[in-house]
Amino acid sequence: MNEHTYKHIELTGSSTTSSDDAIRNAIAQASKTVRNLHWFEVTETRGHIADGKVAHWQVTLKVGFTLEG
């Protein structure tokens, strides 16, 4: 097995649909500029309420990736 060194970054994704979509949006955006994404951990979930309904989800997550080299 190869030895790996990992780094993690913190992201906050948002969605008007669901917390799952907020996670997917954050990972999709990060994958455009960060290579070797391997795992994520949700650290916080929050939202915005408008007219007594959930209007917006925000999910903060740690995303881990392997360093090259």
Side-chain angles (χ1 to χ4, degrees):
M1 181 174 149
N2 292 336
E3 302 287 328
H4 296 287
T5 300
Y6 297 92
K7 179 168 180 63
H8 64 86
I9 54 176
E10 186 174 82
L11 305 171
T12 300
S14 62
S15 171
T16 56
T17 306
S18 69
S19 58
D20 285 351
D21 277 352
I23 293 167
R24 287 184 182 92
N25 291 341
I27 292 171
Q29 189 66 28
S31 71
K32 293 178 182 178
T33 57
V34 179
R35 293 187 301 273
N36 303 319
L37 297 175
H38 287 289
W39 57 266
F40 72 92
E41 172 188 358
V42 173
T43 59
E44 185 177 10
T45 304
R46 61 185 172 276
H48 173 75
I49 300 169
D51 299 321
K53 298 178 184 175
V54 175
H56 209 91
W57 293 89
Q58 289 184 331
V59 180
T60 300
L61 51 148
K62 291 181 183 177
V63 178
F65 57 96
T66 54
L67 296 176
E68 295 177 346

